[in-house]
Structures are given as C-alpha cells and as structure tokens.
Amino acid sequence: MGESGTLTRALVELNEERVLAAVNERLAAGEDPLAIIKECNEAMVEVGKLFEKKEYYLSELIMSGEIMKGVMAVLEPLPGEVKTGAHEGTVVIGTVKEDIHDIGKNIVVSLLKGTGFEVVDLGVDVASADFVAKVRETGTKVLGLSTLLNFTYPEMKKVVDDLSAAGLRDKVKVVIGGAPCNERVREFVGADYYAPDAVAGVNICKEVYGAG
Amino acid sequence: MSDLQELFARRLGRYQAAIALEPADRMPIACGSNYFAEVYAGNTNQETIYDAEKWLKGEKAFIRAFPEVDVLRNNRIWAPLYDAVGNVTYRLPGRDLPPRSQFQFVEKEYMLPDEYAFLIDNPGQYLMERWIPRVLGDTAPPGSARANMAFLKGGMAQMMMAQIMRNRSIHLQNELGMPQPMTGFFLAPFDVLADTLRGLKGIFMDILRRPDKVLAACDVLVPEMANLALANADPFRRNPIFVPTHKACFMSPKQFDTFYWPSFKKLMDILIESGYTIRAYLEGDWGPHWHHLLEMPKGKVLCDIDNQGDIFQAKKDIGRHQCLAGGVPDSLFILGTPREMRERVKLLCGTVGADGGFIVNGGCNIPYDTRPENYRAMIDAVMEYGRYDENVKPAPRQERPDAVRAAALKPQGMLTPWAVRSAELGGVLGDEDLVRRPWEMLESMGYNWLWQWVL
C-alpha cells in the first residue's frame, strides 16, 4: 500500500501533523480527494474498533474527529463531490427536551459516522415535534433518544407516543440511551431498545439495518 | 442535653460512624443531594434556589414528614448571586428553564488553549483578567460601570448567601436537630480544567497535544482548591467536604493515573491532614479507577457510587476501607413500586451493608421525581434491615482541634499581597498587624470568591 498505508496509520495513531502532511503530499501528487477521504474513513472505522476494544477512550475519539475536521478543511474547498455516497443507513439522534447534555450522544454520533452511517444529529434540548418531523422527512429506521437527567423519562415517552400519533411508530425503531436509562425505563418509555453504552447503540443500528 | 440536642448528636454520630467504618445502632439515612426534599414539600425548583425562606420551609416540612432522615441535603446555589454577576455556566429553573426543571451546567471552552502559561504563572490574576469576564457576563467589558457594579453586587450577594447558609444550618440544628451532610466544596484539579476552563473537548485534546501543560496546571490548582475547600468547610470539622467528580469516568486507567489521580490525591491528603473527611461523588462508572481510594487513609473518604457503577464490586474492591453510598437506581425511585424498593434495600442491607460502612442511596442523589411512597419504603426498609447494634449509642466524634495546617499546603495566593500595599504606603505608623490582618482576610475572601465559579 506504500504511501496510502502511511495516512491510515498516522490517523489511527492520531498523529495530526503526519496526517495533514500526508494529505497535502498526495494532493500535490494529483491524487483524487475522494480516494483520500475514503482512506481516512477507513482509518476512522479502525479508531472506532479500538474504542470498542477499550484501547482507545473518549479523548482519542475526540482527537480523531478533530483531525478529520482538519483534513476536510483542506479537501472540501476542492472541486468535486466529496461525499462518499453509499452508506449503511440513516440514524436520527438527539438529546431530549430540557436536557442539554451531549457527551454520550456525541460519542454515539462519532462511532456511527465512523461505521458508515449517515447521522442526522438534532443536537440537545430537542422537542418531540422536531424528532417526529425529522423521522418523517428522512424515513429513518432508527431514532436515538439521549438523556443524562432522570426527569426526562416522561419526555422520552412523549416522543414515542407522538410517533404513534403521527402514524410513524411501526416505521422506526426507537433506541434510548444515557446514564439514567435501563430496561425498566425502556418499558416505561415504550422504546424498542435500550443501549447500555455507545458501542451497543451502534450495534443496534447495524442490526436494524441488517448490516455487518 | 435537650431532646433536640440529643437527636442532633445521635444523627451526626451515626453519620460520622458510617464514614469512619465504626459501629453504630443502624445505617444512617444520609443522602448528600436530596433533590426530592423540597419538591415533596411543594416547592418548585425555582422557589428553592431563589427564595431562601421557601427553601428552609420546604426542608422543615420534609424533615417533619421523614424524621428518620439523619442528614438532609446540600444546595450550593442561591440564584440571586448568579444573576447579580450574569453567570453563564448554569441554566437555572425559573430563569432560563421551566420553574420545575433542574439546573444544568453549560460547558464551553471558557479558557483558550494558549492561556495555560498565564494560568500556571499567576492563577488568580488569570482568573480575574481573562476567565471571569467570560463566565460572569455582567463583569464584561472590564472597567465598565456595569462590570464594576456587578462585582459590587456579587460581593454583597455572597455575604447574603453565606448568611442564608448559616441561618439555615442553625435553624435546622436548633429546631429539628438536623445536621448537614457536607460543608464546603472543591473540585479535583483535572475537573477544574475539564469543566469550566477548557471543557471536555478542550481538555481531551490537551492531554494529547500539550500533556505537560495540563500536568503543570493540575499542580498549580492543588493549593487553590485546597484553600477554597478549607475556607468554606465546617470550622468544627463535623461534616465532610464535598467533591463531585465529573470527567474521570471518561478516562482510560492510564490517563486517569497520569492526569487525574496524582493532583487529586495530593489535594485530598491536605484536607484529611487538616482534620477533615471528604464526601466524593464518583460520577459515572469509576470501576476502573476506584481502587485508588485504598491509597487514602481508612474511613476518610465517603464514596457515592453512581448508577453506572457496580455497588457490589465497589464493596469488594474498596468497601472495607472507605464508606460507600448508593445501590438504588434512579429509575427505581421514579418508576418503581414500594415492594420493589423494599426488596432492593433488603438485598443491599444483607450484603454490602451487612457490616456497616454503607449508606443506602440513589446514584449520588435522590431524584426530583421520586414517588413519595418509594422514598418512604426505602426508609422503612432501612429501619427494618439496616439495624446493627442497639447497644451502641452514636455520638459525634471528637473534633480535631489538634489538626494543623498541612505542611504541603501552600499559602493562598492574593491579587494584592500586603507587601505590595505596605510598600505603597511606605510602611504604617501604628501596629502593622492590625492593618495587615483584615487586609489579607478580605483579599482572601475575594480570592475565594473568584475560585468558587469553577464549580
């Protein structure tokens, strides 16, 4: 693989300088930006796997995301379509209304993107109506509800109930996750899955979409 | 001793015995953050943090309804102080959240990555000149009339809040025999950086990009946090000092051992040497890290185990060395039934709580939305299954008048040390100490005022 291996390795090892140097070198050599992005994405999948194996933690995940941002800042202004096209499926996700915590959600988003999912991240403090509208608009098969605060149980239930009222409940699997969640909370909310951690959340998305 | 004094002594003694892993008549009912208390009494969360009278009234009503409670709760926030200075690190119920909602921390990069050198070189000056104007919106732009007024109001509000806290603790002691679960607070040095200075994203890039700076900053923060904690702690050393931990649960064991633990341990050692105990909220899953608590002196750090931590494993790993609290999932308080609660408490009392050194609790708190019947069931079950030795009459432990200023504690920083002022004056004509002491006391109070905003 020669040079291409260098880029992958540098990104997996989170060596920011070497990543950017490799990207610039390959651009200078006239390589297609799409090929470079594809390789970076593969490296990100590798980072996700290291996170699953608990060799990498949140800091490495954040750092890899930052390095990717730097890479895209170089590549995106270039002509041509940089989106990689094919993906595993779409996941809509957000932290429910009145809760502004996003660490857990962001971990899941980062892993999902690394695995090849198209992620629609609605952010924090998301109203039920916005979840419902986005589910309808995207036709997603998975909706992820994130929370840190235990007073949001009724709010999560409201999202599920509103999906039913909108006639969308049987079209989408609802996954809940976050510190105060467990099976009993899932039952109360009426969700399909409870994800005890970020990796479990990603595996649920894979299962729903029938992906590897 | 009056009945109330005796009740106070018994409750405090029971709580202290649990922390010290010593015999008692029963397990204490001793949550540190009972969010349910004032909600049960009918307050909105806005009323509790804005109206000191309603707060106290709510607490009294709760104690009368649940007289078995041994220590009630802590509350650091009296919202008018936060408003006086335009604090931006919290969203508050009734102000920017619905009145019954819960206050929430707003994390941002309030310190820039290139500011480490300034922070390390002169932390007090750094806070005042760079950081405070960012986290206390009304103090910006520095020097404006509004900014000056904000500091004036902030200092006055601080004195009012201190008065409210003092009143409240005296009322609860004298009228209801109720002690406090903790007094004073601090953060682990790493969390100071990771919460309100650099934020989670910033700090986690810093430990990869500029690890030496992070370590140097953690070291500098040890005396700052120690002095803050000691300034706000109970002078009688009855109650533990409170430390919520925030970012440890996101770190690898290696990162924790390198960046989190060494300065945290140094800081806790200083407080323990000064005669205090500590109540630490081990937020998230501390399973990979909590073995370090074995390095602290026995019975000095009460550890609240969060919902994600395994309470049974915690008991095995550290529970014979430090007192533990926890074991009841938040969801059981909110969605469970009294029967389920009873079963859970029975299990906890028969296992992790069998030999003392254990407090039945939620994950670091009792949730706002707790069903009253579930809380009642928790207490009843502790009364039934949490009995130890009826012959032991719990009494407060001897205070530590012998405790000295820890040798490792550096003196507190000052923005304008007396030496500077004295030189300006060209010396004083009378007794210098009479002028110096109050000068330093007020400098110190102002200095602590700055640091409290890291929480």
Side-chain angles (χ1 to χ4, degrees):
Chain A
M1 251 177 28
E3 277 189 14
S4 72
T6 314
L7 175 57
T8 308
R9 201 162 53 244
L11 183 46
V12 172
E13 288 170 5
L14 307 174
N15 190 322
E16 200 170 10
E17 275 174 37
R18 268 182 32 220
V19 169
L20 291 175
V23 168
N24 284 321
E25 252 171 52
R26 287 166 60 168
L27 278 177
E31 197 172 326
D32 180 4
L34 267 180
I36 299 175
I37 291 175
K38 188 163 172 284
E39 196 181 324
C40 288
N41 282 339
E42 283 162 15
M44 294 297 277
V45 171
E46 201 52 45
V47 169
K49 283 185 184 153
L50 288 168
F51 181 83
E52 269 185 56
K53 283 194 264 182
K54 296 202 170 174
E55 284 176 38
Y56 273 7
Y57 281 69
L58 185 52
S59 61
E60 286 83 2
L61 215 51
I62 289 176
M63 192 65 177
S64 66
E66 280 304 296
I67 298 176
M68 260 316 263
K69 241 191 241 170
V71 170
M72 295 312 281
V74 176
L75 297 181
E76 274 190 331
L78 299 174
E81 176 59 54
V82 291
K83 291 270 180 197
T84 44
H87 58 75
E88 301 280 358
T90 302
V91 177
V92 174
I93 191 169
T95 303
V96 299
K97 197 172 170 214
E98 284 187 34
D99 192 336
I100 59 168
H101 294 87
D102 62 1
I103 297 174
K105 172 185 69 64
N106 291 346
I107 298 175
V108 176
V109 169
S110 163
L111 288 178
L112 281 172
K113 284 183 177 167
T115 318
F117 282 94
E118 177 84 20
V119 182
V120 180
D121 181 357
L122 296 176
V124 299
D125 192 12
V126 180
S128 177
D130 294 337
F131 279 119
V132 173
K134 201 47 92 174
V135 166
R136 178 178 289 125
E137 181 193 320
T138 59
T140 181
K141 289 187 193 172
V142 185
L143 171 63
L145 302 179
S146 175
T147 180
L148 179 73
L149 304 172
N150 55 42
F151 71 75
T152 60
Y153 297 161
E155 181 60 30
M156 291 193 289
K157 186 175 186 328
K158 179 173 168 24
V159 176
V160 174
D161 292 346
D162 288 353
L163 284 170
S164 299
L168 293 166
R169 186 65 189 90
D170 57 346
K171 297 187 172 58
V172 64
K173 299 291 182 194
V174 179
V175 188
I176 64 166
C181 295
N182 54 30
E183 267 305 311
R184 131 159 274 147
V185 176
R186 183 197 64 74
E187 258 172 57
F188 170 80
V189 167
D192 300 288
Y193 297 90
Y194 150 62
D197 58 42
V199 173
V202 173
N203 288 336
I204 291 166
C205 295
K206 285 184 189 166
E207 188 190 316
V208 172
Y209 278 102
Chain B
M1 241 198 300
S2 75
D3 286 354
L4 274 177
Q5 282 170 327
E6 205 180 302
L7 181 59
F8 180 86
R10 214 165 43 238
R11 283 169 166 161
L12 181 59
R14 195 177 283 132
Y15 181 46
Q16 291 176 335
I19 296 172
L21 308 171
E22 287 181 359
D25 56 345
R26 68 163 168 83
M27 185 183 293
I29 309 282
C31 173
S33 299
N34 192 332
Y35 295 136
F36 166 61
E38 299 89 1
V39 175
Y40 171 85
N43 282 5
T44 65
N45 289 321
Q46 179 186 13
E47 287 168 336
T48 300
I49 62 167
Y50 271 95
D51 184 337
E53 266 179 50
K54 280 215 166 124
W55 177 20
L56 183 58
K57 216 172 128 195
E59 288 190 302
K60 287 181 179 173
F62 182 81
I63 294 166
R64 292 199 176 96
F66 299 98
E68 299 92 337
V69 168
D70 290 296
V71 296
L72 182 55
R73 78 104 119 198
N74 206 32
N75 181 4
R76 287 186 301 106
I77 293 185
W78 180 59
L81 168 61
Y82 289 65
D83 291 340
V85 292
N87 168 279
V88 301
T89 60
Y90 283 97
R91 283 200 194 175
L92 299 178
R95 189 184 72 186
D96 25 32
L97 290 172
R100 291 188 185 279
S101 197
Q102 167 181 352
F103 71 86
Q104 292 185 50
F105 175 60
V106 184
E107 188 173 290
K108 283 201 180 120
E109 194 177 20
Y110 298 111
M111 169 187 160
L112 306 177
D114 61 2
E115 291 176 341
Y116 270 99
F118 191 177
L119 171 74
I120 292 163
D121 188 46
N122 193 336
Q125 195 95 18
Y126 171 74
L127 288 196
M128 193 55 144
E129 290 185 6
R130 298 286 174 84
W131 181 78
I132 285 281
R134 292 177 195 147
V135 295
L136 306 181
D138 272 43
T139 67
S144 65
R146 182 163 173 176
N148 291 342
M149 194 63 179
F151 281 114
L152 193 58
K153 289 191 296 181
M156 290 178 175
Q158 188 71 44
M159 300 312 285
M160 289 175 71
M161 181 164 105
Q163 189 62 29
I164 286 167
M165 296 295 175
R166 202 161 36 237
N167 267 345
R168 168 179 166 265
S169 133
I170 291 171
H171 270 285
L172 293 181
Q173 175 170 354
N174 293 346
E175 290 173 32
L176 292 155
M178 179 58 62
Q180 298 297 314
M182 46 237 191
T183 310
F185 51 82
F186 65 100
L187 282 183
F190 186 86
D191 278 330
V192 175
L193 293 171
D195 290 355
T196 46
L197 294 182
R198 297 285 295 126
L200 177 94
K201 189 171 157 195
I203 196 68
F204 277 166
M205 290 198 293
D206 291 346
I207 63 177
L208 297 171
R209 279 179 175 159
R210 46 186 80 82
D212 296 345
K213 292 250 171 28
V214 174
L215 286 173
C218 284
D219 260 351
V220 162
L221 290 168
V222 168
E224 304 297 356
M225 284 298 103
N227 282 308
L228 174 70
L230 292 171
N232 292 297
D234 175 28
F236 302 114
R237 295 177 169 80
R238 295 168 300 189
N239 323 318
I241 306 177
F242 173 48
V243 58
T245 71
H246 292 138
K247 302 289 160 47
C249 58
F250 299 115
M251 301 172 85
S252 73
K254 194 171 161 228
Q255 288 167 347
F256 179 88
D257 294 354
T258 308
F259 295 102
Y260 198 100
W261 182 250
S263 51
F264 188 33
K265 177 177 188 305
K266 246 185 248 175
L267 170 52
M268 289 197 291
D269 276 335
I270 288 172
L271 302 180
I272 292 169
E273 200 183 325
S274 306
Y276 285 94
T277 56
I278 293 161
R279 182 161 189 167
Y281 282 8
L282 306 186
E283 291 189 353
D285 182 6
W286 261 66
H289 312 314
W290 60 38
H291 62 92
H292 282 288
L293 272 304
L294 296 172
E295 297 164 32
M296 304 307 298
K298 189 174 177 180
K300 294 294 184 187
V301 187
L302 161 51
C303 299
D304 278 87
I305 307 297
D306 206 347
N307 279 183
Q308 298 99 295
D310 178 343
I311 195 74
F312 301 100
Q313 190 61 42
K315 184 69 184 186
K316 263 187 223 155
D317 292 347
I318 57 169
R320 313 260 160 218
H321 194 72
Q322 307 292 0
C323 177
L324 305 179
V328 182
D330 292 352
S331 56
L332 186 46
F333 283 105
I334 300 170
L335 304 174
T337 64
R339 178 194 288 266
E340 288 168 311
M341 178 63 82
R342 187 182 167 76
E343 284 307 308
R344 180 70 184 173
V345 173
K346 184 181 176 187
L347 172 72
L348 292 170
C349 288
T351 52
V352 292
D355 312 314
F358 183 75
I359 297 168
V360 168
N361 194 12
C364 301
N365 67 74
I366 307 288
Y368 292 96
D369 295 338
T370 295
R371 285 183 184 153
E373 62 271 28
N374 289 343
Y375 189 72
R376 175 37 74 194
M378 180 198 89
I379 288 185
D380 289 347
V382 171
M383 292 303 136
E384 189 173 343
Y385 302 112
R387 299 271 169 198
Y388 303 128
D389 183 350
E390 295 299 331
N391 297 318
V392 178
K393 218 178 148 200
R397 297 161 64 77
Q398 287 297 311
E399 290 146 19
R400 290 270 311 273
D402 59 316
V404 286
R405 190 186 165 81
L409 177 57
K410 290 186 195 146
Q412 186 166 39
M414 292 190 187
L415 286 196
T416 313
W418 171 247
V420 171
R421 177 64 182 147
S422 169
E424 284 168 6
L425 291 167
V428 298
L429 297 179
D431 181 343
E432 183 173 355
D433 270 0
L434 273 183
V435 189
R436 179 186 59 82
R437 269 201 305 262
W439 172 273
E440 289 183 342
M441 183 187 73
L442 289 166
E443 270 285 331
S444 166
M445 286 167 75
Y447 198 80
N448 282 324
W449 187 91
L450 299 178
W451 281 104
Q452 74 174 328
W453 298 106
V454 302
L455 261 88

